[in-house]
Amino acid sequence: MVYAVPANYYTNTSGKIGTDLKAALNSAIKAGYRSIPYGSGTGETVPALRYLYADPSNANNIILIYGGESFASSAYGTSGATVWNIEHCWPQSYGADSGFARSDLFHLRPCKANVNSDRSNTLYGNVANSTGAKTAPACRELENVMWEPPDSEKGQIARGMLYLAVRYEGSGDGGTANLELADTDNISANLFARPIVTGK
């Protein structure tokens, strides 16, 4: 199934730049927005991720972030190397812990639980002189400082970060704070550092 952009979706963005463009995009994104509950019940985030990231080669599996591993869809849990849980690409500690952003599928991905714990709320960026993250060999990490996903995932993650910064302006956003990308991160101000990465 191919998704078609609704007619006139971008009409209000024509000719706009900077903060005016951001405001117009925010308005378009919020129109008709429907949040789903965070959890594993019917109609909640876990079943949605099972559907969105189903392995096309194995109906019983899903594809995990940070390496593309095919993993048992039924193995949802909270911690350890034998289960998966929900990775918030925009960390909850940077403002995505409440309101609509907590369950916004644009930045949620199925992730092996121990990898999720290892990445924690580390910033994205290029990491030199690393043989790989301890729990995710396809990634590179400077522990507690920088996390570099595989090249094949960088574009999706970067687009998700941009989306959240545009979507959540702290007004009428279901209890989510104003989320912003910045040159330097600041947890108390919900400023998540711009990913500095190469690759697609």
Side-chain angles (χ1 to χ4, degrees):
M1 180 173 67
V2 177
Y3 177 75
V5 177
N8 303 315
Y9 187 78
Y10 292 109
T11 297
N12 291 336
T13 67
S14 180
K16 295 180 179 175
I17 61 172
T19 55
D20 290 339
L21 175 59
K22 184 180 181 185
L25 287 169
N26 173 267
S27 179
I29 292 169
K30 288 198 299 188
Y33 181 88
R34 183 175 67 88
S35 177
I36 64 172
Y38 189 86
S40 57
T42 301
E44 297 183 336
T45 48
V46 170
L49 291 173
R50 285 182 172 133
Y51 175 80
L52 289 170
Y53 298 100
D55 184 346
S57 301
N58 185 337
N60 295 316
N61 284 13
I62 53 174
I63 302 297
L64 303 183
I65 194 172
Y66 304 139
E69 179 181 358
S70 180
F71 202 76
S73 175
S74 60
Y76 175 76
T78 57
S79 63
T82 60
V83 299
W84 68 274
N85 62 19
I86 299 175
E87 163 73 315
H88 288 73
C89 293
W90 187 296
Q92 295 190 75
S93 59
Y94 282 87
D97 58 342
S98 61
F100 292 166
R102 186 168 188 245
S103 61
D104 195 318
L105 295 171
F106 272 90
H107 79 120
L108 303 187
R109 296 288 295 273
C111 181
K112 192 175 284 187
N114 66 328
V115 176
N116 192 345
S117 178
D118 187 16
R119 188 247 163 168
S120 185
N121 66 350
T122 307
L123 305 174
Y124 291 119
N126 285 331
V127 178
N129 304 318
S130 170
T131 56
K134 58 189 175 185
T135 57
C139 299
R140 294 154 66 93
E141 70 173 327
L142 180 58
E143 195 164 359
N144 300 318
V145 176
M146 198 71 68
W147 181 273
E148 182 176 354
D151 284 352
S152 60
E153 297 176 354
K154 290 175 180 177
Q156 285 187 341
I157 291 171
R159 285 187 288 273
M161 301 302 92
L162 177 60
Y163 162 82
L164 262 72
V166 172
R167 169 65 181 85
Y168 295 101
E169 294 293 282
S171 175
D173 289 333
T176 297
N178 181 24
L179 305 182
E180 295 292 346
L181 291 169
D183 291 329
T184 303
D185 70 301
N186 185 321
I187 287 181
S188 62
N190 303 314
L191 300 179
F192 191 60
R194 296 182 180 93
I196 304 171
V197 296
T198 59
K200 297 179 179 179

